Amino acid sequence: AQSVTQLDSQVPVFEEAPVELRCNYSSSVSVYLFWYVQYPNQGLQLLLKYLSGSTLVKGINGFEAEFNKSQTSFHLRKPSVHISDTAEYFCAVSERGAQKLVFGQGTRLTINP
Amino acid sequence: ETGVTQSPTHLIKTRGQQVTLRCSSQSGHNTVSWYQQALGQGPQFIFQYYREEENGRGNFPPRFSGLQFPNYSSELNVNALELDDSALYLCASSLIGGGGETQYFGPGTRLLVL
């Protein structure tokens, strides 16, 4: 069975500072990996995804993530955050051929001015 | 391109009642998945519908049931509501057979059971 661990439940950073949100997964088969963002009282918006190919993937709003198969990680990074990035971020995994997404518990990113 | 829509946005029910939540998939998509997100938690997979049939189910009891219609819209029905059913219910659509690995989510329905 798959599982996802988001190592930090909360991450406070100052505006314009870099940020990394950590995600590790467990699976016995090949997987697809996703990061979603959830703004207050809203649904989930896709930030980026890794399906195959280059291990460095770029997404919306200046975010990027790197797939590391040996460390089973998919950490999300942004070089300079903005107040508008304040939100909950979810890492998710699905097995290839299966449509079910398994989510982590989420990381709350708080940007301080 | 029309995104995923859900109705209603909010709902209050009492324990023991039944509820129906609705979802319209993104245009061009043929699959709908439902997730339950309790407060402070990540979403949990309930089930998925493809070609009007259940195509996978998570660890939820049979009182959670669903339907998919020929236009690919979907309903989630929950019978005999319990207090723990209070959550945000998220619908996601995707395209099986077209590189449909990516699910796109609607805004959710927030259900409160009293």
Side-chain angles (χ1 to χ4, degrees):
Chain A
Q2 310 144 273
S3 66
V4 176
T5 302
Q6 291 185 241
L7 295 155
D8 306 292
S9 59
Q10 297 188 61
V11 173
V13 295
F14 288 105
E15 194 172 14
E16 298 183 7
V19 70
E20 178 180 81
L21 306 184
R22 297 179 294 167
C23 172
N24 285 93
Y25 70 93
S26 172
S27 177
S28 58
V29 299
S30 295
V31 297
Y32 300 129
L33 294 156
F34 305 84
W35 276 97
Y36 286 88
V37 60
Q38 187 173 38
Y39 298 103
N41 300 311
Q42 293 190 26
L44 300 177
Q45 180 181 6
L46 179 69
L47 268 181
L48 49 77
K49 60 186 176 183
Y50 171 78
L51 304 180
S52 65
S54 173
T55 56
L56 181 64
V57 292
K58 295 189 182 297
I60 62 171
N61 301 340
F63 284 93
E64 63 180 33
E66 186 156 19
F67 169 55
N68 188 320
K69 187 175 182 179
S70 62
Q71 297 187 5
T72 59
S73 68
F74 191 54
H75 301 332
L76 180 70
R77 302 185 183 99
K78 186 170 181 177
S80 176
V81 295
H82 189 265
I83 290 282
S84 60
D85 293 323
T86 296
E88 190 90 18
Y89 291 78
F90 291 95
C91 180
V93 63
S94 71
E95 290 183 356
R96 297 192 177 211
Q99 288 279 308
K100 163 185 152 180
L101 284 170
V102 174
F103 285 87
Q105 293 287 81
T107 297
R108 178 156 300 188
L109 178 62
T110 305
I111 313 298
N112 299 307
Chain B
E1 185 179 86
T2 308
V4 180
T5 60
Q6 294 186 243
S7 62
T9 55
H10 295 82
L11 206 50
I12 300 175
K13 292 286 188 178
T14 56
R15 195 170 48 182
Q17 285 189 312
Q18 178 265 342
V19 69
T20 297
L21 310 182
R22 295 177 176 82
C23 171
S24 292
S25 60
Q26 184 169 310
S27 60
H29 286 181
N30 56 15
T31 304
V32 173
S33 303
W34 287 92
Y35 293 81
Q36 180 195 67
Q37 186 181 17
L39 200 61
Q41 304 291 318
Q44 298 286 320
F45 176 73
I46 303 175
F47 45 54
Q48 182 184 87
Y49 277 82
Y50 170 60
R51 291 185 174 176
E52 303 177 47
E53 292 191 0
E54 192 178 283
N55 185 43
R57 189 180 183 91
N59 189 26
F60 281 81
R63 60 190 185 85
F64 286 79
S65 63
L67 285 172
Q68 186 182 32
F69 301 99
N71 67 353
Y72 307 119
S73 66
S74 176
E75 288 183 353
L76 164 65
N77 299 290
V78 187
N79 293 321
L81 284 166
E82 300 177 359
L83 298 180
D84 284 349
D85 295 333
S86 295
L88 180 68
Y89 287 85
L90 294 162
C91 164
S93 75
S94 56
L95 177 62
I96 286 182
E101 305 85 358
T102 306
Q103 297 186 20
Y104 296 90
F105 285 80
T109 294
R110 190 164 297 279
L111 173 65
L112 178 61
V113 182
L114 301 175

